[in-house]
Amino acid sequence: MDPRPRILVIGAGIVGLCSAWYLARQGAAVTLVDREGPGEGTSSGNAGAISGGSVAPLAMPGVLKQVPGMLLDPKGALHIPTRYWPAAFPWLWRFVLEARPERVQEIAEALAVLLHGAEERHLEILAAEGALDLITHNGQLYLYRDAQHLAKDDAAWALRRQHGLEMQVLDRAGILALEPEVSETYGVAVFLPRQGHSVNPLRQARVIARGIERMGGRILRGSVSALTTEGHRVTGARVDGAPVSADHVVLAAGAWSAKLLAPLGIKVPLESQRGYHIMLPNPGVMPRRPVVPADRKAFITPMEEGLRIAGTVEFGGTEAPPNPARAAMLLEDLAKVYPQADTRDAKPHWMGHRPCLPDSLPVVGPVAAWPGLWCAFGHGHLGLTGSAPTGALLAAAMLGPRPNADLTPFGVERFA
């Protein structure tokens, strides 16, 4: 009999893939299951940024003043359709409560621990798989209209700087030295020289999947309908109606994770913040790094297949169809930065589901009430960034040696 611990990872997005990769490297017999191919869901369409310094939560002090605008502005960077207000309100209320200054500090400290060395962890995986070309190291550039515009984000930048993020404030000349084609609309910028990006998130996911198989792991295509239990222990899952047993189960099903936890009596305030992207194969302009117009929170990222414009936040659940109007706004965002961009060959828009929690912290670690069950979901806007360090921490916690980070702040028990 195989003496290795049998671990079932539910979800082949980037978090599940990195968790499975580190578990396989630690010697576990890993089975990874998803209804789609590796990385083909939300992970395929992210903005590509690897932002280890992004420790500021979405809920910052003063966010309550912004909520009416979020609800009423159909073109805002965050939009909640009227029909979805009742469903979104409990989440939004918890979100506002998390914006207390002392709580913001706690969240930032926890994120700093989780994201520490994020890019190095990604490079560790890619070096082992012979795919270091997937990460570039040209930094990230956040654009502001003027100094007054930048001042609105002072608290978030100060929090990031407090936790070691290297940043440079640039004037118009500094912007042009890095990205000479940026519109004159933007006269001030923040440059993050040590933050990188993936040039192809889907290829990155597939590379990691091949690594899992190389180390003896299995990847199954199927739909998980429920976790299976015996006594008060999780023993596996039902995949396409058939039981798949395991010594441990890692739940990394993204925005669908809460539905699998609910039958166990675990309620998690998980919300899908639907994001969109548009790809331009021949844009006529090509920045060297992710360029972010801060007023729109959109990422304009150079990738292998062209220029990707990704962003917007839309509440609406996991079942509603995409909203073409939200995707079209991304081309407006692009035009503000690069009015000369050629959008004629734009590919059909894409939509994915960011799994977001009100405190901006993912759920990572064991579930005390249900031995055998571990969680790795809820990374929100930092799924790609947090995937590799989450996988490394989870594997160490499950198989040893003990991780050098305390997973308590990320436990599901915080929602009890």
Side-chain angles (χ1 to χ4, degrees), residues 54-405:
S54 289
V55 302
L58 294 180
M60 292 292 289
V63 72
L64 182 59
K65 298 177 183 177
Q66 303 171 26
V67 170
M70 295 177 188
L71 295 176
L72 299 173
D73 182 4
K75 283 206 165 189
L78 188 156
H79 176 57
I80 305 174
T82 304
R83 62 169 179 78
Y84 204 74
W85 287 4
F89 182 79
W91 191 97
L92 281 173
W93 181 243
R94 297 186 74 145
F95 177 75
V96 169
L97 293 178
E98 295 290 350
R100 304 184 312 276
E102 65 277 10
R103 180 60 179 147
V104 167
Q105 286 290 336
E106 293 172 356
I107 293 168
E109 289 169 9
L111 284 174
V113 170
L114 178 67
L115 301 181
H116 177 72
E119 187 165 323
E120 287 77 6
R121 287 300 192 184
H122 281 280
L123 294 175
E124 180 178 41
I125 295 174
L126 297 177
E129 303 305 328
L132 285 172
D133 62 309
L134 273 161
I135 304 294
T136 67
H137 312 277
N138 294 328
Q140 300 171 11
L141 186 66
Y142 287 71
L143 301 175
Y144 292 86
R145 294 187 299 275
D146 50 36
Q148 185 177 2
H149 186 201
L150 172 60
K152 292 182 178 180
D153 285 346
D154 277 352
W157 287 120
L159 195 57
R160 296 175 182 128
R161 198 164 46 238
Q162 176 186 330
H163 288 280
L165 178 64
E166 182 180 339
M167 55 178 284
Q168 303 166 13
V169 178
L170 306 179
D171 59 12
R172 176 67 183 169
I175 294 172
L176 295 179
L178 292 176
E179 298 293 344
E181 295 181 286
V182 166
S183 162
E184 61 183 16
T185 300
Y186 299 98
V188 177
V190 174
F191 178 51
L192 311 180
R194 299 191 181 277
Q195 307 288 276
H197 81 277
S198 171
V199 298
N200 191 328
L202 179 57
R203 179 162 76 89
Q204 184 170 347
R206 288 171 173 167
V207 163
I208 298 169
R210 287 196 295 271
I212 294 166
E213 292 179 319
R214 173 181 59 79
M215 292 184 284
R218 292 192 306 157
I219 298 178
L220 303 179
R221 190 84 169 258
S223 179
V224 176
S225 57
L227 301 172
T228 56
T229 62
E230 185 175 321
H232 211 70
R233 180 181 182 86
V234 171
T235 58
R238 296 194 70 82
V239 181
D240 288 340
V244 176
S245 61
D247 299 314
H248 303 279
V249 173
V250 176
L251 180 58
W256 291 268
S257 298
K259 293 180 180 179
L260 291 172
L261 287 176
L264 304 183
I266 301 171
K267 294 183 179 179
V268 180
L270 187 66
E271 183 61 62
S272 165
Q273 291 189 6
R274 294 144 53 103
Y276 294 79
H277 86 227
I278 290 178
M279 285 294 300
L280 301 177
N282 302 293
V285 295
M286 187 61 71
R288 297 186 62 240
R289 54 189 57 78
V291 173
V292 186
D295 47 349
R296 298 299 305 172
K297 303 295 190 290
F299 277 71
I300 302 169
T301 307
M303 294 196 170
E304 287 179 335
E305 298 175 324
L307 190 64
R308 175 171 293 179
I309 308 96
T312 85
V313 174
E314 178 188 50
F315 283 62
T318 57
E319 303 302 324
N323 180 354
R326 296 297 294 175
M329 287 168 48
L330 292 171
L331 293 179
E332 297 176 16
D333 297 337
L334 174 67
K336 290 180 181 178
V337 181
Y338 295 110
Q340 70 276 41
D342 187 343
T343 62
R344 289 174 296 179
D345 293 335
K347 293 184 177 180
H349 68 264
W350 173 98
M351 186 197 77
H353 297 276
R354 307 181 190 97
C356 292
L357 292 152
D359 58 6
S360 295
L361 293 177
V363 178
V364 178
V367 179
W370 289 93
L373 178 60
W374 297 71
C375 292
F377 66 84
H379 292 71
H381 296 246
L382 296 171
L384 177 60
T385 299
S387 58
T390 292
L393 287 171
L394 200 68
M398 294 178 74
L399 303 175
R402 291 181 61 85
N404 57 7

Side-chain angles (χ1 to χ4, degrees), residues 8-27:
L8 175 64
V9 179
I10 300 173
I14 192 63
V15 174
L17 286 163
C18 289
S19 298
W21 191 92
Y22 275 104
L23 288 164
R25 193 181 71 157
Q26 291 279 84

